[in-house]
Amino acid sequence: MPSQSSPRYPPFPEDVPTVPLLRLSFAKLLAGDHSESERLFSACRSLGFFMLDFQDTSQGRAILEEVETLSEVGADVFDLDLEEKQRYKMKGDRMFGYKSIGIGKADIKGSPDRCEFFNVSKDDILSASEPLPHPKIIAGNQLLLKDFTISVHTLAMHLLGHLDLHLHLKPGTLASLHRLHKYADDHVRFIKYPAQPLDDRRTSLGAHTDFGSITILFSALGGLQVLPPGPDAQWGYVRPERGHAIINVGDALVKFTNGLLRSSMHRVTYPPGAQAEFVRYTLAYFVRPEDDVVLKRLSSGNVIPPLAEGEVEENFTSKEWTLRRANAMRRENSKPETLIVKPE
């Protein structure tokens, strides 16, 4: 398949509705640039999505190289016979392994989804839990997966450090809830969206918000759509950019900040224009709080909004929330569920 940064894909068309995302510099954030840090906080409050340029720093370029290689690994995984892939299918409450096309629902009418994916647990990658069964192509790239996991997790902790600053939290507060070597449902996800027939193109992955704290996504083709806030909002495509990741806020950060940060609804449909003729491969890393972290508002001066008078928060852990959300998404005809929604 063409690589994540391949110029062989047709260009993203200019005549489709898009959601403009702030483009942030990884290098500036690493350097502690205050203006860039403020832009990050603004993006996390307003839409919860932004683009991060990996090309302007050695750490970012190293991640892009890992993404290139892992993209080929993902393509090889999906090229396996279905019978072989089903040997590693998700079972029960386990979130890791293979999900075939059509298992989930893409809309409230119950239309089957049009994507397959393979989740590889962070704890498994780091040999911190009992090993799970994997195809040989994944097992043979354990070192690459480990390097990538450490790299993107470190990136995510740096982003959380910037949010600590603007939330007036003690430095390291958010990172302390997402420690690399503690049990959590973080994972690498390989995703394949097959090209759809011209006379039957529709949503591939239904509208949802992400369970955890931060999602880091790499894809060379369009297809991701975001629903901005507001009563008259319309779905718009996200225009992918070479050398950039698409990063979004998840439900856990919304809960920790009592709705100050935003986790926006998003979905995946067919790529626009001539890109629709191509298979869409995506690589993602999901950062989630440690399993036993209770998802409640964090105390923080006057930045994080207080609870409403008489309001009592639910008492559930990150693990419990993940299972609750996963089970909801598996139910037929289920509507998207979010953790917390604040009025405009």
Side-chain angles (χ1 to χ4, degrees):
M1 76 171 186
S3 69
Q4 290 284 339
S5 61
S6 174
R8 290 186 285 161
Y9 284 131
F12 188 91
E14 299 292 336
D15 59 348
V16 296
T18 58
V19 176
L21 303 188
L22 281 179
R23 295 189 195 182
L24 302 179
S25 163
F26 189 15
K28 288 183 179 180
L29 291 174
L30 285 175
D33 184 280
H34 185 69
S35 176
E36 201 73 352
S37 183
E38 287 185 328
R39 295 178 73 231
L40 167 65
F41 188 53
S42 175
C44 292
R45 289 190 63 180
S46 60
L47 184 62
F49 274 81
F50 60 91
M51 307 286 292
L52 188 61
D53 186 356
F54 281 77
Q55 301 167 105
D56 55 1
T57 178
S58 59
Q59 294 98 318
R61 290 190 293 272
I63 291 174
L64 291 176
E65 290 178 2
E66 293 165 348
V67 169
E68 290 295 307
T69 307
L70 284 173
S71 296
E72 297 297 334
V73 171
D76 289 341
V77 169
F78 295 124
D79 282 344
L80 295 172
D81 292 338
L82 180 59
E83 182 179 358
E84 170 69 9
K85 289 183 287 190
Q86 292 284 27
R87 293 177 55 195
Y88 310 100
K89 68 180 180 181
M90 298 177 179
K91 297 178 181 178
D93 289 337
R94 195 179 77 183
M95 298 293 297
F96 309 118
Y98 175 69
K99 185 208 80 70
S100 59
I101 292 175
I103 294 298
K105 303 303 178 184
D107 54 41
I108 61 175
K109 296 183 295 184
S111 305
D113 67 42
R114 288 179 168 176
C115 68
E116 57 181 322
F117 58 73
F118 201 109
N119 290 345
V120 188
S121 161
K122 178 261 294 180
D123 296 335
D124 189 15
I125 290 170
L126 299 180
S127 301
S129 61
E130 288 295 319
L132 297 172
H134 297 302
K136 290 181 180 179
I137 184 63
I138 289 180
N141 283 279
Q142 192 78 359
L143 182 58
L144 174 61
L145 283 163
K146 181 177 181 180
D147 289 344
F148 175 72
T149 295
I150 292 173
S151 296
V152 292
H153 190 275
T154 300
L155 158 68
M157 296 309 100
H158 191 78
L159 298 177
L160 292 180
H162 282 278
L163 295 179
D164 280 339
L165 173 66
H166 297 287
L167 294 168
H168 294 183
L169 294 169
K170 180 181 178 181
T173 295
L174 288 172
S176 72
L177 307 176
H178 303 82
R179 291 169 292 180
L180 180 65
H181 293 286
K182 296 295 183 178
Y183 290 125
D185 280 329
D186 295 37
H187 58 277
V188 176
R189 177 176 292 179
F190 300 98
I191 316 172
K192 177 182 178 182
Y193 299 92
Q196 300 189 31
L198 182 61
D199 60 349
D200 183 26
R201 289 178 175 170
R202 58 171 176 81
T203 302
S204 299
L205 181 65
H208 64 283
T209 58
D210 287 348
F211 303 178
S213 296
I214 292 177
T215 302
I216 304 168
L217 183 74
F218 299 89
S219 184
L221 288 177
L224 175 64
Q225 292 185 328
V226 175
L227 183 66
D232 299 320
Q234 299 291 323
W235 289 99
Y237 279 100
V238 172
R239 180 191 299 272
E241 300 288 347
R242 292 184 64 188
H244 291 64
I246 301 167
I247 299 182
N248 65 279
V249 170
D251 295 339
L253 287 185
V254 178
K255 186 60 176 176
F256 291 145
T257 63
N258 197 29
L260 183 65
L261 302 186
R262 182 178 296 278
S263 177
S264 286
M265 282 285 183
H266 52 285
R267 67 185 184 186
V268 179
T269 186
Y270 55 90
Q275 291 190 350
E277 302 299 323
F278 289 79
V279 175
R280 183 177 186 266
Y281 292 95
T282 298
L283 179 69
Y285 186 83
F286 294 87
V287 180
R288 293 178 175 169
E290 297 164 25
D291 285 350
D292 59 357
V293 168
V294 177
L295 299 184
K296 285 190 172 184
R297 175 190 178 274
L298 298 174
S299 299
S300 165
N302 60 358
V303 177
I304 294 178
L307 298 176
E309 184 176 354
E311 180 181 358
V312 178
E313 293 185 280
E314 292 184 80
N315 188 30
F316 48 80
T317 65
S318 175
K319 185 70 172 181
E320 290 168 340
W321 170 246
T322 297
L323 293 176
R324 170 176 158 182
R325 281 292 312 274
N327 289 333
M329 290 186 72
R330 287 171 181 151
R331 290 196 296 266
E332 288 193 4
N333 304 331
S334 62
K335 295 182 179 180
E337 180 183 16
T338 56
L339 191 63
I340 182 170
V341 176
K342 289 290 180 180
E344 295 302 314

